[in-house]
Amino acid sequence: MPAYTLEIINYLNQSSKKTSELVMDIGGNDGTFMDLIAEAGYQNRLVIEPSISLAEVCRNKHHP
């Protein structure tokens, strides 16, 4: 993950409502960023991943 990832999550925490805001990850790879978003309490998440095998990894981690 890039060094600025936690800065992104901190920004989201200051400017959004965790239970209702949609957080999308375009090209989510294996869902690592969404793992952090879920740990931060965001429930409304969506990963767009064109690789079928990586999309399956995301689904198995319960990232829609």
Side-chain angles (χ1 to χ4, degrees), residues 8 12 21-28 33-34 37 42-49 63-64:
I8 293 170
L12 289 173
E21 295 289 330
L22 173 63
V23 179
M24 295 178 63
D25 188 3
I26 309 297
F33 179 67
M34 280 292 130
I37 291 294
Y42 291 87
Q43 299 171 6
N44 195 11
R45 305 178 308 275
L46 178 64
V47 178
I48 307 294
E49 175 50 56
H63 304 311

Side-chain angles (χ1 to χ4, degrees), residues 3-23:
Y4 54 83
T5 302
L6 294 179
E7 291 177 38
I8 293 170
I9 294 171
N10 288 334
Y11 174 79
L12 289 173
N13 285 335
Q14 294 172 9
S15 64
S16 67
K17 298 174 185 144
K18 292 182 182 185
T19 57
S20 62
E21 295 289 330
L22 173 63
V23 179

